[in-house]
Amino acid sequence: GSGILNARLFTWMQFLENERDRSQWLNALSVSIEIYSGELKGFADVPEIKELREHSLRGFMKNFLYEQLAQETESPTSEANMIKQIQVTIEYCIIVAGYDLLFKTMFELFAEKEQEGKFIHALEPFILAGKFSQVAVPKNIFEQILNHYLRKNDSRTLEKILLCLFLDNQDLSALSDLCITNKMHSALIFIKTMGNSEQQFVEPLIFMLSEMRARPKIYNSPPLEDVFT
């Protein structure tokens, strides 16, 4: 015979809270992205107007993510698992353009726990994929990124990062000096020619030529491409 099926219609907030209580926060993130984009219609109280929907979700998810990440940074979890969880959260912030959440709330959370390196490590693949090529990274975060790679003596990765970031809001003169000091020639050219000025191209070219002349002459000289890396 036919049975009676009891069903409950969740509001979007009730569902996300339920997922949180069940420790299914990655699923909650996935669902919230679908709600945010308007692709998921199966919940009550989802605002039809895009701006209202985004505003409601952004406020709720800011508190939700902060709570979850605070718990994760306190719990004994593997480094790889922690980085993965941070990256999922970063991806969420990029999708919903929640850069205040990313660079203020999230970064401050890791700074409080002296784990800025984990945040920057998780951020690296997104920078190199060009996700921040049109996003002004706050100066204090930018300085942390610079210092992170300088402490590691990893100028090669730092140079790649500089080539992928939006730098208009940074101190270009100081960055030029940094590139010269650390022999980041490609980044130097990029910074000096950001305004498409052919005249500014001359300075890094002269610097690279002087670098070549300063090197000792040996019979087994390195390939030309090595001189500019």
Side-chain angles (χ1 to χ4, degrees), residues 44-157:
D45 294 341
V46 176
E48 293 186 11
I49 299 174
K50 179 176 180 289
E51 290 75 14
L52 291 177
R53 184 173 65 248
E54 292 177 354
H55 177 75
S56 298
L57 261 170
R58 189 176 286 123
F60 175 82
M61 292 306 294
K62 177 179 179 178
N63 294 329
F64 173 77
L65 287 173
Y66 187 88
E67 291 174 4
Q68 295 304 312
L69 285 172
Q71 290 178 16
E72 293 299 329
T73 54
E74 294 290 350
S75 63
T77 184
S78 70
E79 181 83 6
N81 191 41
M82 167 63 78
I83 295 298
K84 175 63 178 175
Q85 291 169 338
I86 300 170
Q87 287 178 333
V88 170
T89 310
I90 292 172
E91 186 172 11
Y92 171 83
C93 293
I94 292 171
I95 290 172
V96 303
Y99 298 113
D100 282 346
L101 170 60
L102 177 62
F103 291 128
K104 186 171 176 60
T105 305
M106 271 190 70
F107 181 79
E108 286 178 358
L109 170 64
F110 285 94
E112 287 170 7
K113 301 178 184 301
E114 299 182 349
Q115 296 181 2
E116 299 97 321
K118 287 184 180 179
F119 177 85
I120 295 170
H121 178 58
L123 197 64
E124 180 182 309
F126 296 96
I127 295 175
L128 296 178
K131 299 296 184 181
F132 297 96
S133 61
Q134 299 299 319
V135 177
V137 176
K139 288 186 177 181
N140 65 313
I141 308 294
F142 183 76
E143 289 174 5
Q144 290 277 359
I145 292 172
L146 293 181
N147 291 332
H148 174 75
Y149 291 100
L150 291 173
R151 281 195 300 268
K152 294 171 62 178
N153 197 28
D154 189 1
S155 58
R156 185 175 290 270
T157 301

Side-chain angles (χ1 to χ4, degrees), residues 184-217:
M184 297 186 291
H185 303 118
S186 297
L188 180 63
I189 293 173
F190 174 67
I191 291 165
K192 285 294 186 181
T193 57
M194 280 176 59
N196 296 319
S197 171
E198 292 182 6
Q199 202 169 21
Q200 287 186 317
F201 183 83
V202 175
E203 184 180 338
L205 183 59
I206 292 173
F207 169 71
M208 287 188 291
L209 288 173
S210 66
E211 283 281 296
M212 292 172 62
R213 288 174 179 168
R215 294 190 178 190
K217 294 181 179 180

